[in-house]
Amino acid sequence: MTVTVTTTGPLSPEDAQANALGRDARKDAEGTYDVTVIGAGVVGTAIARELARHPLRTALIDAADDIGSGTSKANTAILHTGFDADPGSLEARLVREGRDLLAAYAAGTGIPVERVGALLVAWDEDQLAALPRLRAKAERNGYHASRILDAGELRSREPHLGHGALGALHVPDESVICPWTTPLAFATQAVRAGVHLHLNCRVRDIAGDAEGHTLTTSRGPLRTRYLVNAAGLYADEIDRLLGHDVFTVTPRRGQLIVYDKLARDLVRHILLPVPGPAGKGVLVAPTVFGNVLIGPTAEELDDKTATGSTADGLHELREKGRRILPELLDEEVTAVYAGLRAATGQEDYRIQEYPAQRYVAVGGIRSTGLTASMAIGRHVMGLLAATGLETGEPRALPPLTMPNLGEAFPRPYRNAALIAEDPAYGTLVCHCEQVTLGEIRDALSATVPPHSLDGLRRRTRARGGRCQGFYCGAAVRALFEEARP
């Protein structure tokens, strides 16, 4: 079992190193890993990256053909401050710590982040009366920058807001981030540092003994001394293979509508509802890709694969959007999508170590998992050490710069010096998203390359614009097929 690195041209030194790591994985396929992480979403990749800082033999495995292909690829992409978390909870602490860690990491690696701020909008007297309590809750969570706005200041900040808004709580440090580049950065850095990535590797059974665990997978047996379960929607099923019945994951579907870039000037902040008994409700937010999204719904389901959109769900979003930002409904829809959150019936994370089994369960990581991911990685390292893992001294990871997918940041097609050096960066393939031949080529030859057209879209934005690939689809597919081994 090895990570496959597909190339279409000369390898960079970093990718040559990744290929060498792949050869090492083949050579040592029968060996035992020190730690194996199940699940290559944003949390699992963050844990693997943290493990990569130590002299450990680590594996990261996932049942899918790509990293970040579950909940991590379909969410609202907000970098939270944690102002509204349950004070004193593990989630509140890890979101607060994770926000600072991820903000710094994003700045250093080129992951696009926009600090747009959030407004919790009150539409009736009860919601208006709740704003001081929400501000006090934020302060108990260590966030002191929020303030209450009256209707006049709210209107000046959001002139396209629907009629009837009475005020808002302003949270200036809420941000939007690229949800796709983040786990890809974690995985890339982990693989370059020596972590073995095994995709299309579904866990079917786990047998434990005094020395560790033997995983029966769709790609054969895998032996590991310590085990981390970050399997997201399937974390409860992995937990039961270890003999536990502590939590049950009930998939909570969130449907969203993405509006065209021409709608971007209609909204300046993340527009949040005041939370009520039914939850946080539907938001309207800009994205780092230049679009505007509305959602999510919150539907409790039994099917962990039910990521389809429904007529009822989209109708609900449009009706709620009509009140929040009525002009938005006149804009063109670029896409609709749905994601499944790993709800467990408990608001806090379900992170638990089992020293006798050399096992850590990381379950119930819901919508804040993107923000908390790096802090979860550090927390899990501490739990592994408490279960007896000798981690060794930490080391610096190889530096990393990710391709920019953010609309507000420099893109290759506008970089004259880069184009002069390599004309491929001036050759547009996807005109809707201004994606160049050079960017597609780089993604296809990267350390962790895509294995599907959707994976390529998440790395480049190609086929993700208003024409949904009608114009560029054939060309993108041809490039993808040419690069396949």
Side-chain angles (χ1 to χ4, degrees):
M1 296 190 290
T2 66
V3 56
T4 301
V5 181
T6 305
T7 62
T8 57
L11 284 175
S12 68
E14 294 85 359
D15 289 342
Q17 178 189 12
N19 261 343
L21 293 171
R23 289 192 295 273
D24 288 344
R26 287 192 292 273
K27 181 179 66 177
D28 297 335
E30 299 302 317
T32 298
Y33 288 106
D34 294 311
V35 187
T36 294
V37 180
I38 303 174
V42 71
V43 172
T45 54
I47 295 169
R49 177 189 173 276
E50 191 65 28
L51 285 162
R53 297 177 61 243
H54 299 267
L56 298 167
R57 201 164 177 275
T58 301
L60 173 63
I61 69 176
D62 199 281
D65 68 355
D66 201 1
I67 57 93
S69 61
T71 300
S72 299
K73 74 178 182 184
N75 53 58
T76 52
I78 294 175
L79 183 57
H80 296 280
T81 58
F83 77 95
D84 60 345
D86 185 15
S89 65
L90 178 63
E91 180 182 22
R93 176 170 70 83
L94 295 180
V95 168
R96 185 171 60 249
E97 295 174 3
R99 190 262 174 194
D100 292 339
L101 290 170
L102 184 51
Y105 183 76
T109 57
I111 298 171
V113 175
E114 291 186 52
R115 181 179 170 270
V116 294
L119 295 169
L120 279 78
V121 181
W123 297 94
D124 57 41
E125 293 295 340
D126 288 341
Q127 292 179 359
L128 189 65
L131 296 184
R133 295 195 297 272
L134 288 168
R135 186 173 187 273
K137 185 178 186 180
E139 292 184 342
R140 292 200 303 276
N141 279 317
Y143 186 78
H144 303 286
S146 66
R147 65 188 187 93
I148 296 174
L149 310 182
D150 60 24
E153 186 172 0
L154 172 59
R155 178 66 53 184
S156 68
R157 285 180 171 273
E158 288 291 350
H160 299 282
L161 200 64
H163 293 295
L166 303 179
L169 181 69
H170 181 214
V171 187
D173 296 299
E174 293 281 298
S175 304
V176 291
I177 187 171
C178 179
W180 304 327
T181 310
T182 304
L184 181 60
F186 295 158
T188 299
Q189 208 165 27
V191 169
R192 289 182 179 178
V195 171
H196 297 166
L197 175 62
H198 306 306
L199 299 173
N200 294 307
C201 186
R202 183 178 299 277
V203 176
R204 293 173 174 161
D205 198 9
I206 302 174
D209 55 40
E211 300 300 321
H213 310 271
T214 299
L215 278 59
T216 301
T217 81
S218 56
R219 297 183 61 185
L222 185 151
R223 182 72 181 163
T224 187
R225 295 171 56 233
Y226 290 81
L227 186 63
V228 177
N229 169 15
L233 291 166
Y234 299 91
D236 57 339
E237 299 177 27
I238 297 297
D239 204 46
R240 289 188 178 95
L241 292 178
L242 275 297
H244 305 288
D245 191 11
V246 178
F247 62 91
T248 297
V249 173
T250 301
R252 182 176 295 159
R253 181 167 61 189
Q255 300 184 50
L256 299 102
I257 302 174
V258 181
Y259 286 89
D260 189 79
K261 292 178 172 59
L262 295 175
R264 179 62 180 84
D265 289 339
L266 293 178
V267 61
R268 301 172 182 175
H269 303 75
I270 302 164
L271 302 179
L272 299 167
V274 175
K280 296 182 179 180
V282 170
L283 60 84
V284 174
T287 75
V288 295
F289 312 119
N291 303 92
V292 177
L293 64 80
I294 180 171
T297 58
E299 310 157 54
E300 302 287 345
L301 305 175
D302 296 323
D303 185 354
K304 294 181 179 181
T305 65
T307 57
S309 299
T310 67
D312 288 344
L314 300 180
H315 176 73
E316 175 189 343
L317 293 179
R318 287 178 59 84
E319 288 304 304
K320 292 185 176 180
R322 194 182 308 279
R323 182 181 195 185
I324 302 168
L325 207 67
E327 293 175 61
L328 184 61
L329 273 65
D330 296 327
E331 299 294 330
E332 295 290 334
V333 172
T334 294
V336 298
Y337 67 93
L340 299 176
R341 288 159 281 178
T344 63
Q346 175 180 304
E347 290 304 305
D348 207 354
Y349 295 160
R350 298 295 189 99
I351 301 179
Q352 179 67 50
E353 77 277 22
Y354 296 91
Q357 288 184 295
R358 301 182 180 185
Y359 165 60
V360 177
V362 185
I365 311 300
R366 299 165 297 113
S367 56
T368 55
L370 172 59
T371 301
S373 56
M374 296 187 77
I376 293 173
R378 291 192 176 187
H379 181 63
V380 169
M381 281 299 304
L383 296 180
L384 285 169
T387 65
L389 176 66
E390 296 181 4
T391 61
E393 291 298 317
R395 59 191 178 187
L397 292 173
L400 180 69
T401 300
M402 297 301 294
N404 167 52
L405 302 187
E407 195 76 0
F409 303 89
R411 299 281 302 284
Y413 78 98
R414 302 183 67 177
N415 188 329
L418 182 63
I419 294 168
E421 183 178 335
D422 186 344
Y425 293 110
T427 304
L428 286 178
V429 177
C430 173
H431 287 257
C432 293
E433 297 297 301
Q434 293 89 42
V435 183
T436 67
L437 176 62
E439 292 169 280
I440 294 174
R441 178 199 62 200
D442 292 347
L444 292 170
S445 62
T447 302
V448 184
H451 296 280
S452 69
L453 289 172
D454 282 343
L456 181 59
R457 175 177 53 82
R458 291 192 294 271
R459 287 161 171 80
T460 63
R461 289 171 43 182
R463 299 170 51 255
R466 59 174 60 98
C467 86
Q468 291 293 286
F470 180 82
Y471 178 80
C472 69
V476 173
R477 177 177 285 278
L479 292 168
F480 175 75
E481 294 294 340
E482 289 172 9
R484 299 185 77 173

